[in-house]
Amino acid sequence: MQTLWSATTILPHFPTLAGEISTDVAVIGGGMAGILTAFSLGQRGVNAVVLEAATIGSGQTRGTTAKITAQHGLIYADMLANMGKELSQQYAAAHMHAIADYRRIAENLDANCALENRPAYIYSQTPRDLPALEAEAHAAQTLGIPAEFVSSTELPFSVAGGVRFPDQAQFHPLSFLGAVARNLEIYEHSRVQRIEGDRLHTAQGSVRAKQVVIAAHFPFRNIPGFYFARMHQSRSYVLTLDKAPTLSGMYLGIDSDGLSLRSYGDRLLLGGGGHRTGRRTAQSGYAPLRRAARRYYPGCAEQYRWSAQDCMTLDGLPYIGRFSAATPNWYVATGFGKWGMSSSMVAANLISDLITGVDNPFEPVFSPLRFTPKASADSFFTNLSQSAGGLSRQLLFQPKSRLNALPPGYGGIVQVKGHKLGAYRDEGGRVYLVSTRCTHLGCQLEWNPDEKSWDCPCHGSRFDYTGRLICGPAQTDLKRYR
């Protein structure tokens, strides 16, 4: 999958781990969170090693829309009601500090990453959302953010209203990542297969570390931590339109079909269509974006398209801090929702403070050990029902479709000699057969026609049509059949 960012930058390459090494801190994951954490630790004189399963920035970082903002949808009014002012202020201040830190690092490294100050907006085209928008503006002001309610924008369609956060930012994420990673000790194609005590094992080597940071999007360890029961994953879609009018702000619609928009030079990133991973919609995730592009930006050619995947926590806030009470030397950064760029910087600062013994005023609101029943109850029961449904479908569902009825270019669950298998027939007629059982916890996978992949509706693991693992929490490929 090529994105605008991966098509317009060349990242440095790093060796594969071979043999045994020792370090102060081992960071699992070479995305923005992992690289920034290693960089922050290095600035403090702590030796850190990054272990990346593929290549740096090849996971969720390359799929971001790259907004660096404390504006995260309609969150602050609810946060004040459910968690109180003190924790809400911590969340807001941490992300405002993150914006400033991106500016400082980009300047110090002379990173050519197109970092630009931009206001961030949420908006709605529906008048019934006006009270919620006004409440959000007031809540943000209460928490020290100079937000304001607006009744019009520069968008090519009318809005009922919106909320403007001034002095936010946008950038080229992979150009920034490359500059930060330049002098770090990084090992690519070095997937961590297991952790035993203070030793991390890969296929060709091992690392002995005093501290471990798990920043690999979704933690692959089920116990302790139980993150698989505390998160689900969500997919969304992006088109890049060439030669589009430049927007001076960054936008996010809160309507059910709301659009995300931001400019990069004369290109426009048009996003939306979010849904739970593994839950198929009646149409392609790109279809509504293409309709919007034809309507609002006629004559602008589609240049790139890609999908992104985000970890969603029970209460909507990231898990950043100590992995569990039983593992005092492990740390985690996950559950960033759709705001991975600002949250990555928050994670780097917070985890580096914890490792070096520095008090961080924002630790309580992000702690993975927090207990927020009021904000978490609805999501917990939804996740539980989704997992139960995925497991029962794997055990009980028997497909009626037959392999010989599958046309070229299509995939689905079929019966083959009495067995339930996942099948894909390519344009040349070759058939690929795989198990429909997710290698994480056994839920039934669903076919994703947009990406030609097998996706898990329980915890979001994904596999390509050959059965190869794309992303976790699963750690192994699907069983293949001939």
Side-chain angles (χ1 to χ4, degrees):
M1 177 183 70
Q2 189 171 53
T3 70
L4 169 63
W5 315 126
S6 59
T8 54
T9 193
I10 298 175
L11 289 171
H13 293 292
F14 299 92
T16 299
L17 178 67
E20 298 183 5
I21 63 172
S22 297
T23 185
D24 293 328
V25 181
V27 180
I28 303 173
M32 190 64 76
I35 295 297
L36 279 175
T37 300
F39 176 82
S40 178
L41 289 168
Q43 295 292 294
R44 304 171 191 223
V46 178
N47 183 32
V49 166
V50 178
L51 300 171
E52 164 56 37
T55 57
I56 64 167
S58 62
Q60 306 314 313
T61 298
R62 69 173 176 170
T64 178
T65 53
K67 302 172 183 176
I68 312 170
T69 175
Q71 207 292 32
H72 297 168
L74 285 176
I75 62 165
Y76 289 115
D78 285 344
M79 198 181 302
L80 278 170
N82 293 326
M83 305 184 72
K85 186 174 181 179
E86 182 178 357
L87 293 179
S88 301
Q89 283 180 324
Q90 291 175 15
Y91 184 91
H95 287 281
M96 291 299 289
H97 279 283
I99 300 168
D101 286 336
Y102 270 109
R103 294 185 181 119
R104 174 181 55 81
I105 293 172
E107 182 178 357
N108 289 345
L109 295 180
D110 194 23
N112 183 21
C113 62
L115 196 152
E116 301 170 319
N117 294 336
R118 290 285 188 271
Y121 296 79
I122 50 172
Y123 70 89
S124 176
Q125 295 182 273
T126 308
R128 67 171 177 270
D129 288 330
L130 290 180
L133 290 168
E134 291 169 346
E136 186 68 13
H138 177 71
Q141 293 164 6
T142 300
L143 300 175
I145 299 173
E148 61 175 331
F149 178 83
V150 297
S151 56
S152 63
T153 69
E154 61 183 321
L155 294 172
F157 48 81
S158 61
V159 301
V163 181
R164 179 181 186 270
F165 279 33
D167 204 28
Q168 312 295 290
Q170 63 183 32
F171 71 149
H172 190 305
L174 294 188
S175 294
F176 178 88
L177 189 78
V180 174
R182 193 176 299 135
N183 296 315
L184 299 180
E185 185 176 359
I186 299 171
Y187 296 95
E188 295 181 322
H189 304 291
S190 302
R191 179 186 296 277
V192 175
Q193 298 174 332
R194 65 187 188 280
I195 308 174
E196 296 176 342
D198 62 353
R199 190 178 293 274
L200 292 75
H201 296 271
T202 70
Q204 300 180 46
S206 65
V207 177
R208 187 181 295 276
K210 300 174 184 175
Q211 314 272 2
V212 175
V213 178
I214 300 174
H217 188 61
F218 198 119
F220 64 91
R221 283 288 294 259
N222 292 328
I223 301 172
F226 297 93
Y227 289 93
F228 70 91
R230 302 162 61 191
M231 294 194 298
H232 72 275
Q233 298 199 62
S234 175
R235 297 195 65 71
S236 55
Y237 303 85
V238 182
L239 301 180
T240 301
L241 305 181
D242 197 20
K243 296 182 174 58
T246 300
L247 296 175
S248 62
M250 306 175 291
Y251 293 86
L252 175 67
I254 64 169
D255 311 85
S256 60
D257 57 350
L259 300 171
S260 167
L261 306 96
R262 65 150 288 196
S263 291
Y264 175 70
D266 65 350
R267 297 167 172 142
L268 179 76
L269 276 69
L270 182 67
H275 63 86
R276 188 181 180 109
T277 300
R279 292 301 176 198
R280 293 184 298 177
T281 57
Q283 60 180 343
S284 165
Y286 298 103
L289 298 181
R290 289 178 172 135
R291 288 195 295 269
R294 290 192 296 269
R295 181 176 181 182
Y296 301 123
Y297 298 97
C300 294
E302 178 182 321
Q303 192 174 33
Y304 302 102
R305 69 174 178 91
W306 69 88
S307 59
Q309 184 147 305
D310 301 293
C311 291
M312 319 299 285
T313 67
L314 295 177
D315 59 11
L317 308 184
Y319 297 130
I320 302 171
R322 299 190 187 280
F323 188 87
S324 75
T327 51
N329 296 328
W330 292 10
Y331 304 85
V332 68
T334 189
F336 295 165
K338 299 182 182 299
W339 307 104
M341 295 299 96
S342 57
S343 295
S344 289
M345 185 66 77
V346 172
N349 292 334
L350 176 50
I351 292 175
S352 296
D353 282 348
L354 289 172
I355 289 174
T356 56
V358 175
D359 288 335
N360 187 299
F362 312 131
E363 179 184 357
V365 71
F366 297 107
S367 172
L369 308 182
R370 66 183 181 266
F371 181 59
T372 55
K374 187 176 180 180
S376 303
D378 289 347
S379 295
F380 174 79
F381 288 110
T382 298
N383 287 353
L384 189 64
S385 66
Q386 293 284 351
S387 295
L391 288 167
S392 64
R393 281 180 61 80
Q394 176 59 26
L395 292 171
L396 303 176
F397 171 74
Q398 291 300 321
K400 297 180 180 179
S401 300
R402 301 291 176 177
L403 180 60
N404 58 10
L406 194 67
Y410 284 80
I413 299 176
V414 299
Q415 282 271 10
V416 180
K417 297 181 179 179
H419 297 283
K420 177 172 65 174
L421 297 176
Y424 171 68
R425 189 187 302 275
D426 67 19
E427 297 295 345
R430 181 178 179 180
V431 172
Y432 301 83
L433 297 174
V434 298
S435 168
T436 60
R437 185 180 187 275
C438 180
T439 58
H440 177 227
L441 290 177
C443 291
Q444 179 169 291
L445 301 171
E446 299 292 343
W447 177 247
N448 178 340
D450 279 322
E451 314 300 332
K452 291 183 169 54
S453 64
W454 293 101
D455 299 355
C456 179
C458 296
H459 307 108
S461 299
R462 300 183 62 236
F463 308 82
D464 70 16
Y465 60 81
T466 72
R468 182 182 62 85
L469 178 68
I470 297 174
C471 65
Q475 287 292 287
T476 56
D477 296 342
L478 297 177
K479 184 177 181 180
R480 298 174 174 87
Y481 295 84
R482 296 186 64 181

